[in-house]
Amino acid sequence: MKRIAFLLVAFATVAVAPASGHPDEEASPIYGVTIPTGYRDWKLIAVKQLLFAGKGNQLRAQLGNDIAIKAFKEGTLPFPDGSIIAAIHWTQVASESNNAVLAGPFPGTRSFVIGSPVNVQFMVKDSKKYAATGGWGFADFTGGKPGDKALHETCFPCHTPAKDRDFVFTRYEP
Amino acid sequence: MKRIAFLLVAFATVAVAPASGHPDEEASPIYGVTIPTGYRDWKLIAVKQLLFAGKGNQLRAQLGNDIAIKAFKEGTLPFPDGSIIAAIHWTQVASESNNAVLAGPFPGTRSFVIGSPVNVQFMVKDSKKYAATGGWGFADFTGGKPGDKALHETCFPCHTPAKDRDFVFTRYEP
């Protein structure tokens, strides 16, 4: 039992370790952030919709690892080192089958669901390593591949307006 | 260590037990389903948007307990007993602060975020207890209070079109 517990702790540590432990995977330029293991199973922070001019509509979900979720719930700012926030972006499509069902009780209602994955973004908190960018390392992956350096140069400036919330736009929604 | 492990298992069992263990909380009519402990921390299945005629727009997230998530990922149908699916519905509002940020790189893009909670719904799988309704017990809570009997009489008929997916509309989105 002790050994199992140790292995579980070891695994959890690897899973949330930023920018490490995935030598075979590509890392984001500038920041060296790789896709965190198991991020799709992290807890939900909030959801958003974007009517993305010229790029189609998107449904988005923000997930957090346990350190980030605890900080969100307790209102801790700045976020502690080890916090990771994932933003999953999907295309949004109309669901005709849902609409057909909803037409009975709620005539005129329109339902939109996820179409396909677009990209996934990560913010990794390491106040020393990423001191020059508010303590956050950024990454943007499409189809498992990180975007280029030019793309990643836009991350931190774009997040600057949220400086009073430690550069995080998303708010936790109960 | 053994005792701690036992307590954790015992706690987890209580946390996912359908329609039990919460004597102080109100249960849904017909089905007797109470709000499952800790459901907000369950894993994400998918998100949706609803342009709800006459009721305003909504952003929605579907979460699942571990039994449900495993079934979704493995494509198991029917869902095993103990599966619980939660659907959280929020109002959707425009985010002018996000729009201001997006106007730089993506002119004309509009961002919508969660406004406030509307209601939360649950589907609890118990093939024996709920044999008359496809093996599912239903519940719809607004402000922590279950809706009335008339509301809950609409749950199962509404889900009937999804009979070939064990009455579950939502698909797991990676």
Side-chain angles (χ1 to χ4, degrees):
Chain A
M1 177 59 81
K2 273 184 180 168
R3 188 173 173 188
I4 291 172
F6 171 77
L7 287 172
L8 285 172
V9 168
F11 178 78
T13 306
V14 169
V16 301
S20 70
H22 302 277
D24 298 335
E25 293 179 11
E26 289 186 62
S28 64
I30 304 171
Y31 302 103
V33 171
T34 54
I35 296 176
T37 304
Y39 77 89
R40 181 59 185 78
D41 285 334
W42 289 352
K43 291 166 185 168
L44 178 71
I45 303 164
V47 300
K48 292 179 189 170
Q49 188 215 20
L50 214 66
L51 304 183
F52 218 158
K55 289 193 174 191
N57 297 347
Q58 292 187 358
L59 285 169
R60 299 178 158 199
Q62 294 81 40
L63 311 181
N65 68 355
D66 285 343
I67 300 172
I69 290 288
K70 184 170 186 287
F72 270 113
K73 288 183 178 179
E74 296 175 358
T76 303
L77 287 177
F79 284 82
D81 282 2
S83 298
I84 311 181
I85 299 167
I88 311 176
H89 303 164
W90 297 277
T91 62
Q92 171 190 299
V93 297
S95 172
E96 297 307 333
S97 56
N98 284 4
N99 290 348
V101 172
L102 291 162
F106 308 109
T109 296
R110 288 184 292 150
S111 171
F112 296 91
V113 298
I114 288 167
S116 55
V118 178
N119 62 333
V120 57
Q121 301 175 333
F122 300 97
M123 289 177 68
V124 175
K125 192 67 187 272
D126 185 328
S127 54
K128 285 179 184 157
K129 182 173 183 179
Y130 303 122
T133 49
W136 290 101
F138 296 86
D140 187 319
F141 294 88
T142 299
K145 300 288 179 188
D148 62 14
K149 186 165 177 282
L151 174 67
H152 285 83
E153 281 171 346
T154 68
C155 298
F156 180 62
C158 188
H159 278 260
T160 305
K163 188 177 179 183
D164 64 346
R165 302 209 306 277
D166 197 25
F167 304 96
V168 173
F169 289 111
T170 300
R171 298 171 189 271
Y172 185 86
E173 298 293 347
Chain B
M1 177 59 80
K2 273 186 184 168
R3 187 175 173 186
I4 290 171
F6 172 77
L7 288 171
L8 285 173
V9 169
F11 177 77
T13 305
V14 169
V16 301
S20 71
H22 301 280
D24 299 335
E25 293 180 13
E26 289 185 64
S28 63
I30 304 172
Y31 302 103
V33 171
T34 54
I35 295 176
T37 303
Y39 76 90
R40 181 59 185 78
D41 285 334
W42 290 352
K43 292 166 185 169
L44 179 71
I45 303 163
V47 300
K48 292 179 188 170
Q49 188 215 20
L50 214 65
L51 305 183
F52 218 156
K55 288 192 174 192
N57 297 348
Q58 292 187 359
L59 285 169
R60 299 178 158 198
Q62 293 81 40
L63 311 181
N65 69 353
D66 286 343
I67 300 172
I69 290 289
K70 185 171 186 286
F72 270 114
K73 288 183 178 178
E74 297 176 356
T76 304
L77 289 178
F79 284 83
D81 281 3
S83 298
I84 311 181
I85 299 167
I88 311 177
H89 303 165
W90 297 277
T91 62
Q92 171 190 298
V93 297
S95 171
E96 297 308 332
S97 57
N98 283 5
N99 290 347
V101 173
L102 291 162
F106 308 108
T109 296
R110 288 184 293 150
S111 172
F112 297 90
V113 298
I114 288 167
S116 55
V118 179
N119 63 331
V120 57
Q121 301 175 332
F122 300 97
M123 290 177 67
V124 175
K125 192 66 187 273
D126 185 328
S127 53
K128 285 179 185 158
K129 183 173 183 180
Y130 303 122
T133 50
W136 290 101
F138 296 86
D140 187 319
F141 295 88
T142 299
K145 300 288 180 188
D148 62 14
K149 187 167 176 282
L151 175 67
H152 284 83
E153 282 170 346
T154 68
C155 299
F156 180 61
C158 188
H159 277 259
T160 305
K163 188 178 179 182
D164 64 344
R165 301 209 308 275
D166 198 23
F167 305 97
V168 174
F169 288 112
T170 300
R171 297 170 189 271
Y172 185 85
E173 298 293 347

